[in-house]
Amino acid sequence: MARQLAWEAAVLVQEPPHPAERWQAARGKWRQAVRLLESIPQSSPIFKQAQQKLADYRMRYDAITQRLTDEELAMDNFNQAQTVAWQAAVTVQDPPHSLEVWQRASERWGRATRLMSAIPPLTTVSAAAQEKLAGYRQNYQAIAHRIQAEKAFLSTVEAFSASVTRLNTLQTKALTGQTEDPIGIDYKDYQTFVRSLQALQQEIENSPITKNNPAYAEMKTAIADYEFALTIWQTYLRHKEANADWLQNGDFFNRLVPLSLIDGDRLLQTYDVEVRQGIRGAKVPLKSTVWAIWEKADEHARATQQKVSAR
């Protein structure tokens, strides 16, 4: 009977892999065979032969037990990995997302990858696991790239905010009479400031992943404001150089810019600046105009930080 059960168990698991149910059935037969041999008394003439078979059957029983364990582990890992991968995919639907969301998705793809990697070979799902594993690793790498881009974006926004804060500090000092420059910063330094913002903007423009971020839209608008203020300042300096004979009439002393030389529609509609009418046409004061533009730019700068914090 033990031999018959052993033969049936061996036939049952030919040409693996097999599902857990088949390994379980074979294991049951080996267990029965072992118990039958164990029941043969020492006084039996076939006791010695039974003991030899018993050692072999126990070894086979242990091997089948391990195959059953592998198959059960494979199925459990496979199902868990698919569930975690689905959660990871859902996590990053409808981007953009915060860095924390991308990191959470990365953790899930990493866990799904580890679960699939732990599936033993020669199981019913090992081939499918290898196929899915390639996709999981690809997704994990894509998320890692996204996280790197998000970190770079946040670093750029921090640098942008720090620059704006420094400019606001200079303006405050000018308002309180703590600096000799009436605007708070001289032209060359302001030009350098704008160029530094343009460089930050270019960093984001070079990263298609983050350039559509809502926070960047606010930042881009703020930089456009600062650029517009620089254009007005440049216009004032060119006009002053071209009309040096006017130095005595007070226009340049008060830093007035002819409205006809700049984008007056944009200036009046967007920034609500003061316009002065004179014999030589409408003019705008350089300082209050620049400050009005800076105020609007600062609103967008603060909105940039709010959108980053809200994500």
Side-chain angles (χ1 to χ4, degrees):
M1 288 177 65
R3 284 177 171 176
Q4 178 63 29
L5 287 167
W7 179 82
E8 291 174 1
V11 170
L12 198 59
V13 295
Q14 284 182 341
E15 300 179 3
H18 301 298
E21 293 77 13
R22 179 169 291 195
W23 294 113
Q24 184 70 56
R27 182 171 177 267
K29 290 180 181 296
W30 282 116
R31 182 167 57 243
Q32 287 180 281
V34 167
R35 288 175 178 174
L36 285 169
L37 292 179
E38 288 175 338
S39 68
I40 295 176
Q42 190 172 358
S43 59
S44 170
I46 61 170
F47 175 76
K48 185 175 181 180
Q49 183 183 359
Q51 289 298 305
Q52 293 173 344
K53 285 288 185 184
L54 184 59
D56 179 48
Y57 286 11
R58 283 171 175 165
M59 182 179 67
R60 292 176 184 273
Y61 172 80
D62 290 342
I64 293 295
T65 298
Q66 184 59 53
R67 294 299 292 267
L68 174 61
T69 300
D70 288 347
E71 186 62 35
E72 290 174 340
L73 173 64
M75 288 303 302
D76 185 52
N77 279 14
F78 190 79
N79 292 332
Q80 283 193 61
Q82 290 192 109
T83 299
V84 175
W86 175 81
Q87 292 171 344
V90 170
T91 299
V92 292
Q93 282 183 337
D94 301 322
H97 301 294
S98 66
L99 176 61
E100 290 74 16
V101 170
W102 292 110
Q103 288 173 329
R104 186 159 61 251
S106 175
E107 291 171 1
R108 286 172 175 169
W109 279 120
R111 184 176 173 225
T113 299
R114 290 190 296 273
L115 286 167
M116 280 295 186
S117 299
I119 290 177
L122 302 179
T123 57
T124 54
V125 294
S126 57
Q130 289 302 310
E131 292 181 8
K132 287 187 175 294
L133 188 57
Y136 287 7
R137 285 171 174 160
Q138 185 178 7
N139 290 336
Y140 180 79
Q141 289 300 321
I143 295 293
H145 182 61
R146 183 65 188 242
I147 289 174
Q148 183 180 11
E150 288 291 334
K151 287 181 177 179
F153 175 76
L154 291 177
S155 177
T156 301
V157 171
E158 288 177 4
F160 165 75
S161 298
S163 295
V164 171
T165 299
R166 285 194 295 271
L167 181 65
N168 291 342
T169 300
L170 293 174
Q171 184 182 357
T172 300
K173 287 182 177 180
L175 281 166
T176 56
Q178 299 179 52
T179 177
E180 294 182 359
D181 195 302
I183 295 181
I185 184 173
D186 64 31
Y187 171 76
K188 288 186 178 180
D189 287 342
Y190 182 67
Q191 188 178 46
T192 300
F193 163 78
V194 172
R195 286 174 178 171
S196 70
L197 297 188
Q198 290 170 334
L200 293 175
Q201 180 177 343
Q202 189 59 50
E203 288 180 15
I204 298 177
E205 289 290 340
N206 291 335
S207 175
I209 290 178
T210 54
K211 65 184 297 184
N212 294 324
N213 191 300
Y216 173 58
E218 295 287 353
M219 176 179 166
K220 187 175 181 180
T221 302
I223 293 175
D225 288 334
Y226 289 122
E227 290 172 335
F228 186 45
L230 180 63
T231 299
I232 292 175
W233 205 334
Q234 290 171 337
T235 301
Y236 163 77
L237 292 176
R238 285 196 298 267
H239 183 63
K240 176 181 177 181
E241 184 179 0
N243 297 273
D245 57 315
W246 286 11
L247 286 174
Q248 302 303 318
N249 67 12
D251 278 1
F252 294 115
F253 178 77
N254 293 317
R255 297 193 176 188
L256 297 175
V257 186
L259 194 59
S260 59
L261 299 181
I262 57 181
D263 188 348
D265 291 339
R266 176 184 176 185
L267 186 63
L268 299 177
Q269 294 172 12
T270 306
Y271 306 101
D272 192 27
V273 301
E274 173 193 359
V275 179
R276 298 183 185 179
Q277 297 293 339
I279 299 176
R280 298 179 182 274
K283 296 182 176 64
V284 291
L286 178 63
K287 182 174 74 171
S288 61
T289 299
V290 167
W291 281 5
I293 297 173
W294 287 0
E295 182 179 355
K296 186 66 68 173
D298 187 55
E299 291 177 9
H300 292 294
R302 282 185 276 110
T304 300
Q305 278 293 355
Q306 291 170 356
K307 288 184 182 295
V308 168
S309 301
R311 291 173 59 226

mmCIF file of all heavy atoms in Angstrom, residues 135-172:
data_model
loop_
_atom_site.group_PDB
_atom_site.id
_atom_site.type_symbol
_atom_site.label_atom_id
_atom_site.label_comp_id
_atom_site.label_asym_id
_atom_site.label_seq_id
_atom_site.Cartn_x
_atom_site.Cartn_y
_atom_site.Cartn_z
ATOM 1 N N GLY A 135 7.803 45.332 -15.745
ATOM 2 C CA GLY A 135 6.983 46.544 -15.762
ATOM 3 C C GLY A 135 7.027 47.279 -14.436
ATOM 4 O O GLY A 135 7.069 48.514 -14.401
ATOM 5 N N TYR A 136 7.031 46.525 -13.346
ATOM 6 C CA TYR A 136 7.081 47.151 -12.018
ATOM 7 C C TYR A 136 8.382 47.930 -11.846
ATOM 8 O O TYR A 136 8.378 49.045 -11.312
ATOM 9 C CB TYR A 136 6.974 46.087 -10.928
ATOM 10 C CG TYR A 136 5.598 45.472 -10.770
ATOM 11 C CD1 TYR A 136 4.572 45.760 -11.673
ATOM 12 C CD2 TYR A 136 5.314 44.604 -9.726
ATOM 13 C CE1 TYR A 136 3.319 45.193 -11.532
ATOM 14 C CE2 TYR A 136 4.055 44.035 -9.576
ATOM 15 C CZ TYR A 136 3.068 44.330 -10.488
ATOM 16 O OH TYR A 136 1.817 43.772 -10.347
ATOM 17 N N ARG A 137 9.479 47.328 -12.260
ATOM 18 C CA ARG A 137 10.775 48.000 -12.140
ATOM 19 C C ARG A 137 10.820 49.258 -13.002
ATOM 20 O O ARG A 137 11.371 50.280 -12.603
ATOM 21 C CB ARG A 137 11.899 47.047 -12.535
ATOM 22 C CG ARG A 137 12.191 45.998 -11.458
ATOM 23 C CD ARG A 137 13.153 44.947 -11.944
ATOM 24 N NE ARG A 137 13.533 44.032 -10.854
ATOM 25 C CZ ARG A 137 14.050 42.822 -11.044
ATOM 26 N NH1 ARG A 137 14.234 42.360 -12.285
ATOM 27 N NH2 ARG A 137 14.365 42.061 -10.001
ATOM 28 N N GLN A 138 10.223 49.170 -14.179
ATOM 29 C CA GLN A 138 10.174 50.338 -15.058
ATOM 30 C C GLN A 138 9.359 51.462 -14.418
ATOM 31 O O GLN A 138 9.769 52.630 -14.441
ATOM 32 C CB GLN A 138 9.569 49.935 -16.404
ATOM 33 C CG GLN A 138 9.575 51.059 -17.433
ATOM 34 C CD GLN A 138 9.020 50.596 -18.770
ATOM 35 O OE1 GLN A 138 8.521 49.479 -18.898
ATOM 36 N NE2 GLN A 138 9.090 51.445 -19.772
ATOM 37 N N ASN A 139 8.227 51.118 -13.830
ATOM 38 C CA ASN A 139 7.402 52.121 -13.157
ATOM 39 C C ASN A 139 8.112 52.709 -11.940
ATOM 40 O O ASN A 139 8.018 53.913 -11.677
ATOM 41 C CB ASN A 139 6.075 51.498 -12.719
ATOM 42 C CG ASN A 139 5.171 51.188 -13.895
ATOM 43 O OD1 ASN A 139 5.286 51.794 -14.957
ATOM 44 N ND2 ASN A 139 4.280 50.230 -13.727
ATOM 45 N N TYR A 140 8.810 51.860 -11.216
ATOM 46 C CA TYR A 140 9.554 52.324 -10.044
ATOM 47 C C TYR A 140 10.624 53.334 -10.457
ATOM 48 O O TYR A 140 10.809 54.369 -9.805
ATOM 49 C CB TYR A 140 10.192 51.129 -9.334
ATOM 50 C CG TYR A 140 10.981 51.502 -8.100
ATOM 51 C CD1 TYR A 140 10.339 51.779 -6.899
ATOM 52 C CD2 TYR A 140 12.362 51.570 -8.139
ATOM 53 C CE1 TYR A 140 11.049 52.120 -5.772
ATOM 54 C CE2 TYR A 140 13.091 51.916 -7.016
ATOM 55 C CZ TYR A 140 12.428 52.182 -5.835
ATOM 56 O OH TYR A 140 13.151 52.525 -4.717
ATOM 57 N N GLN A 141 11.324 53.043 -11.546
ATOM 58 C CA GLN A 141 12.350 53.964 -12.042
ATOM 59 C C GLN A 141 11.735 55.269 -12.529
ATOM 60 O O GLN A 141 12.297 56.350 -12.321
ATOM 61 C CB GLN A 141 13.143 53.300 -13.171
ATOM 62 C CG GLN A 141 14.061 52.183 -12.707
ATOM 63 C CD GLN A 141 15.106 52.653 -11.712
ATOM 64 O OE1 GLN A 141 15.660 53.750 -11.835
ATOM 65 N NE2 GLN A 141 15.380 51.828 -10.716
ATOM 66 N N ALA A 142 10.570 55.175 -13.174
ATOM 67 C CA ALA A 142 9.897 56.389 -13.651
ATOM 68 C C ALA A 142 9.481 57.272 -12.478
ATOM 69 O O ALA A 142 9.623 58.502 -12.523
ATOM 70 C CB ALA A 142 8.671 56.007 -14.490
ATOM 71 N N ILE A 143 8.984 56.645 -11.413
ATOM 72 C CA ILE A 143 8.607 57.407 -10.225
ATOM 73 C C ILE A 143 9.839 58.025 -9.567
ATOM 74 O O ILE A 143 9.801 59.162 -9.088
ATOM 75 C CB ILE A 143 7.859 56.506 -9.216
ATOM 76 C CG1 ILE A 143 6.528 56.036 -9.811
ATOM 77 C CG2 ILE A 143 7.614 57.245 -7.911
ATOM 78 C CD1 ILE A 143 5.510 57.125 -10.021
ATOM 79 N N ALA A 144 10.929 57.275 -9.538
ATOM 80 C CA ALA A 144 12.171 57.801 -8.957
ATOM 81 C C ALA A 144 12.635 59.034 -9.724
ATOM 82 O O ALA A 144 13.093 60.024 -9.132
ATOM 83 C CB ALA A 144 13.257 56.724 -8.972
ATOM 84 N N HIS A 145 12.499 58.979 -11.056
ATOM 85 C CA HIS A 145 12.858 60.126 -11.884
ATOM 86 C C HIS A 145 11.940 61.302 -11.586
ATOM 87 O O HIS A 145 12.382 62.459 -11.512
ATOM 88 C CB HIS A 145 12.768 59.739 -13.356
ATOM 89 C CG HIS A 145 13.152 60.826 -14.308
ATOM 90 N ND1 HIS A 145 14.399 61.405 -14.334
ATOM 91 C CD2 HIS A 145 12.422 61.470 -15.268
ATOM 92 C CE1 HIS A 145 14.442 62.343 -15.259
ATOM 93 N NE2 HIS A 145 13.254 62.404 -15.833
ATOM 94 N N ARG A 146 10.671 61.006 -11.378
ATOM 95 C CA ARG A 146 9.703 62.060 -11.064
ATOM 96 C C ARG A 146 10.020 62.697 -9.709
ATOM 97 O O ARG A 146 9.940 63.926 -9.558
ATOM 98 C CB ARG A 146 8.287 61.471 -11.051
ATOM 99 C CG ARG A 146 7.184 62.495 -10.798
ATOM 100 C CD ARG A 146 7.125 63.481 -11.953
ATOM 101 N NE ARG A 146 6.239 64.576 -11.709
ATOM 102 C CZ ARG A 146 5.143 64.838 -12.440
ATOM 103 N NH1 ARG A 146 4.815 64.066 -13.448
ATOM 104 N NH2 ARG A 146 4.406 65.893 -12.181
ATOM 105 N N ILE A 147 10.374 61.873 -8.735
ATOM 106 C CA ILE A 147 10.717 62.393 -7.410
ATOM 107 C C ILE A 147 11.941 63.307 -7.501
ATOM 108 O O ILE A 147 11.984 64.374 -6.870
ATOM 109 C CB ILE A 147 10.972 61.229 -6.430
ATOM 110 C CG1 ILE A 147 9.647 60.536 -6.105
ATOM 111 C CG2 ILE A 147 11.656 61.711 -5.156
ATOM 112 C CD1 ILE A 147 9.801 59.284 -5.272
ATOM 113 N N GLN A 148 12.913 62.898 -8.280
ATOM 114 C CA GLN A 148 14.105 63.729 -8.463
ATOM 115 C C GLN A 148 13.730 65.077 -9.073
ATOM 116 O O GLN A 148 14.226 66.132 -8.647
ATOM 117 C CB GLN A 148 15.105 62.996 -9.360
ATOM 118 C CG GLN A 148 16.425 63.741 -9.549
ATOM 119 C CD GLN A 148 17.390 62.965 -10.448
ATOM 120 O OE1 GLN A 148 17.020 61.982 -11.082
ATOM 121 N NE2 GLN A 148 18.620 63.414 -10.488
ATOM 122 N N ALA A 149 12.840 65.048 -10.062
ATOM 123 C CA ALA A 149 12.393 66.285 -10.698
ATOM 124 C C ALA A 149 11.598 67.155 -9.727
ATOM 125 O O ALA A 149 11.748 68.385 -9.711
ATOM 126 C CB ALA A 149 11.549 65.962 -11.935
ATOM 127 N N GLU A 150 10.757 66.522 -8.905
ATOM 128 C CA GLU A 150 9.966 67.276 -7.929
ATOM 129 C C GLU A 150 10.870 67.937 -6.890
ATOM 130 O O GLU A 150 10.631 69.076 -6.485
ATOM 131 C CB GLU A 150 8.963 66.351 -7.235
ATOM 132 C CG GLU A 150 7.807 65.911 -8.106
ATOM 133 C CD GLU A 150 6.848 67.040 -8.430
ATOM 134 O OE1 GLU A 150 6.767 68.004 -7.654
ATOM 135 O OE2 GLU A 150 6.168 66.959 -9.469
ATOM 136 N N LYS A 151 11.888 67.220 -6.444
ATOM 137 C CA LYS A 151 12.824 67.796 -5.481
ATOM 138 C C LYS A 151 13.565 68.986 -6.092
ATOM 139 O O LYS A 151 13.769 70.012 -5.429
ATOM 140 C CB LYS A 151 13.824 66.736 -5.012
ATOM 141 C CG LYS A 151 13.224 65.704 -4.070
ATOM 142 C CD LYS A 151 14.270 64.702 -3.612
ATOM 143 C CE LYS A 151 13.696 63.709 -2.607
ATOM 144 N NZ LYS A 151 14.704 62.713 -2.171
ATOM 145 N N ALA A 152 13.961 68.843 -7.349
ATOM 146 C CA ALA A 152 14.634 69.947 -8.029
ATOM 147 C C ALA A 152 13.698 71.139 -8.179
ATOM 148 O O ALA A 152 14.103 72.296 -8.016
ATOM 149 C CB ALA A 152 15.134 69.484 -9.403
ATOM 150 N N PHE A 153 12.428 70.848 -8.465
ATOM 151 C CA PHE A 153 11.435 71.921 -8.598
ATOM 152 C C PHE A 153 11.267 72.664 -7.284
ATOM 153 O O PHE A 153 11.255 73.896 -7.242
ATOM 154 C CB PHE A 153 10.098 71.327 -9.042
ATOM 155 C CG PHE A 153 8.973 72.328 -9.096
ATOM 156 C CD1 PHE A 153 8.888 73.241 -10.123
ATOM 157 C CD2 PHE A 153 8.001 72.350 -8.102
ATOM 158 C CE1 PHE A 153 7.851 74.170 -10.176
ATOM 159 C CE2 PHE A 153 6.970 73.269 -8.132
ATOM 160 C CZ PHE A 153 6.901 74.180 -9.174
ATOM 161 N N LEU A 154 11.130 71.916 -6.184
ATOM 162 C CA LEU A 154 10.967 72.548 -4.875
ATOM 163 C C LEU A 154 12.190 73.376 -4.507
ATOM 164 O O LEU A 154 12.069 74.457 -3.922
ATOM 165 C CB LEU A 154 10.720 71.475 -3.807
ATOM 166 C CG LEU A 154 9.378 70.749 -3.881
ATOM 167 C CD1 LEU A 154 9.301 69.665 -2.821
ATOM 168 C CD2 LEU A 154 8.222 71.726 -3.721
ATOM 169 N N SER A 155 13.360 72.871 -4.855
ATOM 170 C CA SER A 155 14.592 73.623 -4.588
ATOM 171 C C SER A 155 14.610 74.930 -5.376
ATOM 172 O O SER A 155 15.019 75.984 -4.869
ATOM 173 C CB SER A 155 15.807 72.763 -4.955
ATOM 174 O OG SER A 155 16.999 73.477 -4.766
ATOM 175 N N THR A 156 14.136 74.872 -6.626
ATOM 176 C CA THR A 156 14.077 76.072 -7.465
ATOM 177 C C THR A 156 13.076 77.075 -6.904
ATOM 178 O O THR A 156 13.352 78.283 -6.858
ATOM 179 C CB THR A 156 13.692 75.689 -8.901
ATOM 180 O OG1 THR A 156 14.658 74.776 -9.421
ATOM 181 C CG2 THR A 156 13.649 76.921 -9.797
ATOM 182 N N VAL A 157 11.925 76.582 -6.454
ATOM 183 C CA VAL A 157 10.920 77.469 -5.867
ATOM 184 C C VAL A 157 11.466 78.123 -4.593
ATOM 185 O O VAL A 157 11.228 79.305 -4.338
ATOM 186 C CB VAL A 157 9.621 76.695 -5.567
ATOM 187 C CG1 VAL A 157 8.660 77.551 -4.753
ATOM 188 C CG2 VAL A 157 8.952 76.272 -6.869
ATOM 189 N N GLU A 158 12.206 77.354 -3.795
ATOM 190 C CA GLU A 158 12.797 77.912 -2.581
ATOM 191 C C GLU A 158 13.788 79.020 -2.915
ATOM 192 O O GLU A 158 13.820 80.065 -2.252
ATOM 193 C CB GLU A 158 13.485 76.801 -1.789
ATOM 194 C CG GLU A 158 12.522 75.844 -1.106
ATOM 195 C CD GLU A 158 13.232 74.712 -0.403
ATOM 196 O OE1 GLU A 158 14.487 74.722 -0.391
ATOM 197 O OE2 GLU A 158 12.554 73.814 0.134
ATOM 198 N N ALA A 159 14.604 78.795 -3.942
ATOM 199 C CA ALA A 159 15.568 79.819 -4.357
ATOM 200 C C ALA A 159 14.837 81.061 -4.870
ATOM 201 O O ALA A 159 15.244 82.198 -4.593
ATOM 202 C CB ALA A 159 16.494 79.255 -5.443
ATOM 203 N N PHE A 160 13.763 80.840 -5.628
ATOM 204 C CA PHE A 160 12.949 81.948 -6.126
ATOM 205 C C PHE A 160 12.364 82.749 -4.972
ATOM 206 O O PHE A 160 12.443 83.981 -4.935
ATOM 207 C CB PHE A 160 11.833 81.394 -7.021
ATOM 208 C CG PHE A 160 10.729 82.361 -7.311
ATOM 209 C CD1 PHE A 160 10.904 83.400 -8.216
ATOM 210 C CD2 PHE A 160 9.489 82.232 -6.680
ATOM 211 C CE1 PHE A 160 9.878 84.294 -8.481
ATOM 212 C CE2 PHE A 160 8.468 83.112 -6.946
ATOM 213 C CZ PHE A 160 8.657 84.152 -7.846
ATOM 214 N N SER A 161 11.776 82.060 -4.009
ATOM 215 C CA SER A 161 11.153 82.732 -2.866
ATOM 216 C C SER A 161 12.190 83.501 -2.047
ATOM 217 O O SER A 161 11.917 84.606 -1.560
ATOM 218 C CB SER A 161 10.437 81.708 -1.978
ATOM 219 O OG SER A 161 9.403 81.069 -2.698
ATOM 220 N N ALA A 162 13.366 82.920 -1.890
ATOM 221 C CA ALA A 162 14.425 83.601 -1.136
ATOM 222 C C ALA A 162 14.847 84.890 -1.838
ATOM 223 O O ALA A 162 15.076 85.929 -1.181
ATOM 224 C CB ALA A 162 15.625 82.667 -0.967
ATOM 225 N N SER A 163 14.946 84.855 -3.165
ATOM 226 C CA SER A 163 15.325 86.048 -3.922
ATOM 227 C C SER A 163 14.274 87.136 -3.789
ATOM 228 O O SER A 163 14.582 88.315 -3.604
ATOM 229 C CB SER A 163 15.529 85.691 -5.402
ATOM 230 O OG SER A 163 16.630 84.815 -5.557
ATOM 231 N N VAL A 164 13.002 86.733 -3.881
ATOM 232 C CA VAL A 164 11.906 87.701 -3.751
ATOM 233 C C VAL A 164 11.895 88.307 -2.351
ATOM 234 O O VAL A 164 11.683 89.519 -2.180
ATOM 235 C CB VAL A 164 10.558 87.019 -4.056
ATOM 236 C CG1 VAL A 164 9.392 87.936 -3.716
ATOM 237 C CG2 VAL A 164 10.491 86.616 -5.531
ATOM 238 N N THR A 165 12.143 87.486 -1.352
ATOM 239 C CA THR A 165 12.185 87.988 0.029
ATOM 240 C C THR A 165 13.283 89.025 0.199
ATOM 241 O O THR A 165 13.089 90.056 0.863
ATOM 242 C CB THR A 165 12.403 86.824 1.009
ATOM 243 O OG1 THR A 165 11.311 85.906 0.895
ATOM 244 C CG2 THR A 165 12.489 87.318 2.442
ATOM 245 N N ARG A 166 14.437 88.773 -0.398
ATOM 246 C CA ARG A 166 15.540 89.744 -0.306
ATOM 247 C C ARG A 166 15.162 91.063 -0.964
ATOM 248 O O ARG A 166 15.468 92.151 -0.435
ATOM 249 C CB ARG A 166 16.811 89.166 -0.956
ATOM 250 C CG ARG A 166 17.502 88.101 -0.124
ATOM 251 C CD ARG A 166 18.890 87.811 -0.630
ATOM 252 N NE ARG A 166 18.871 87.229 -1.961
ATOM 253 C CZ ARG A 166 18.798 85.926 -2.206
ATOM 254 N NH1 ARG A 166 18.714 85.067 -1.192
ATOM 255 N NH2 ARG A 166 18.790 85.464 -3.438
ATOM 256 N N LEU A 167 14.489 90.984 -2.115
ATOM 257 C CA LEU A 167 14.060 92.208 -2.796
ATOM 258 C C LEU A 167 13.039 92.960 -1.945
ATOM 259 O O LEU A 167 13.095 94.193 -1.825
ATOM 260 C CB LEU A 167 13.463 91.870 -4.161
ATOM 261 C CG LEU A 167 12.993 93.080 -4.987
ATOM 262 C CD1 LEU A 167 14.176 93.975 -5.363
ATOM 263 C CD2 LEU A 167 12.263 92.624 -6.238
ATOM 264 N N ASN A 168 12.108 92.226 -1.350
ATOM 265 C CA ASN A 168 11.110 92.867 -0.487
ATOM 266 C C ASN A 168 11.763 93.552 0.710
ATOM 267 O O ASN A 168 11.323 94.624 1.142
ATOM 268 C CB ASN A 168 10.100 91.826 0.000
ATOM 269 C CG ASN A 168 9.208 91.304 -1.113
ATOM 270 O OD1 ASN A 168 9.105 91.935 -2.166
ATOM 271 N ND2 ASN A 168 8.580 90.168 -0.899
ATOM 272 N N THR A 169 12.816 92.945 1.220
ATOM 273 C CA THR A 169 13.541 93.538 2.342
ATOM 274 C C THR A 169 14.189 94.861 1.935
ATOM 275 O O THR A 169 14.142 95.851 2.682
ATOM 276 C CB THR A 169 14.623 92.570 2.852
ATOM 277 O OG1 THR A 169 14.002 91.358 3.280
ATOM 278 C CG2 THR A 169 15.396 93.171 4.014
ATOM 279 N N LEU A 170 14.761 94.893 0.742
ATOM 280 C CA LEU A 170 15.375 96.129 0.238
ATOM 281 C C LEU A 170 14.319 97.213 0.036
ATOM 282 O O LEU A 170 14.557 98.390 0.336
ATOM 283 C CB LEU A 170 16.108 95.846 -1.080
ATOM 284 C CG LEU A 170 17.339 94.935 -0.987
ATOM 285 C CD1 LEU A 170 17.870 94.623 -2.380
ATOM 286 C CD2 LEU A 170 18.428 95.582 -0.140
ATOM 287 N N GLN A 171 13.157 96.813 -0.464
ATOM 288 C CA GLN A 171 12.078 97.788 -0.651
ATOM 289 C C GLN A 171 11.609 98.339 0.696
ATOM 290 O O GLN A 171 11.357 99.542 0.831
ATOM 291 C CB GLN A 171 10.906 97.129 -1.389
ATOM 292 C CG GLN A 171 9.775 98.099 -1.704
ATOM 293 C CD GLN A 171 8.606 97.415 -2.394
ATOM 294 O OE1 GLN A 171 8.651 96.230 -2.687
ATOM 295 N NE2 GLN A 171 7.550 98.166 -2.656
ATOM 296 N N THR A 172 11.495 97.469 1.676
ATOM 297 C CA THR A 172 11.091 97.915 3.011
ATOM 298 C C THR A 172 12.091 98.898 3.596
ATOM 299 O O THR A 172 11.714 99.911 4.213
ATOM 300 C CB THR A 172 10.947 96.702 3.952
ATOM 301 O OG1 THR A 172 9.960 95.811 3.421
ATOM 302 C CG2 THR A 172 10.541 97.128 5.345
#
